[in-house]
Amino acid sequence: QVQLVESGGGLVQPGGSLRLSCAASGSIYRIYNMGWYRQAPGKERELVASITRGGDTNYADSVKGRFTISRDNAKNTVFLQMNSLKPEDTAVYCCNADVWAAPGRRTYWGQGTQVTVSS
């Protein structure tokens, strides 16, 4: 069984920074695309950033220039460095991963971590 566990969320003032981590564990053969999504109260879930196994990245327009996604393939971990945070970045952030594991290949999700940007 594959599990994704996020860490690094919390409360930060506007203009501050946070770094999220998401580690995958289990009987994993290979992880393909990984990504971060967020969902604010009353809003639909949106893609924040994604990264291929080779390191190609994609960002939502709202976070370009402020957020950086990266990964460590050896540790099955994806990161999201968030700088210049704004109140509108407040949301539950979840990671996902396209994983080839013992049961087969499918997308897995983490449980989410709360990010609150407020003074």
Side-chain angles (χ1 to χ4, degrees):
Q1 186 175 357
V2 175
Q3 288 188 322
L4 301 183
V5 179
E6 299 104 335
S7 60
L11 173 64
V12 64
Q13 292 187 342
S17 298
L18 283 175
R19 188 179 192 232
L20 305 182
S21 300
C22 172
S25 62
S27 301
I28 296 171
Y29 300 144
R30 181 177 288 258
I31 300 179
Y32 299 94
N33 286 7
M34 303 184 83
W36 288 96
Y37 287 73
R38 67 185 181 187
Q39 187 167 21
K43 295 187 177 181
E44 294 188 353
R45 184 172 62 191
E46 64 173 347
L47 174 66
V48 176
S50 63
I51 184 168
T52 68
R53 182 171 179 84
D56 293 330
T57 58
N58 179 54
Y59 295 93
D61 288 342
S62 59
V63 307
K64 283 180 181 178
R66 300 188 298 121
F67 291 9
T68 302
I69 189 170
S70 60
R71 64 190 286 172
D72 183 335
N73 289 334
K75 296 182 178 180
N76 291 333
T77 301
V78 62
F79 307 97
L80 186 68
Q81 178 66 43
M82 304 185 293
N83 299 329
S84 303
L85 282 161
K86 305 175 181 180
E88 51 263 42
D89 294 318
T90 296
V92 175
Y93 285 70
C94 293
C95 65
N96 82 341
D98 179 8
V99 180
W100 178 28
R105 182 173 174 176
R106 53 159 283 193
T107 298
Y108 292 85
W109 290 85
Q111 80 287 351
T113 185
Q114 178 69 46
V115 171
T116 303
V117 185
S118 174
S119 55

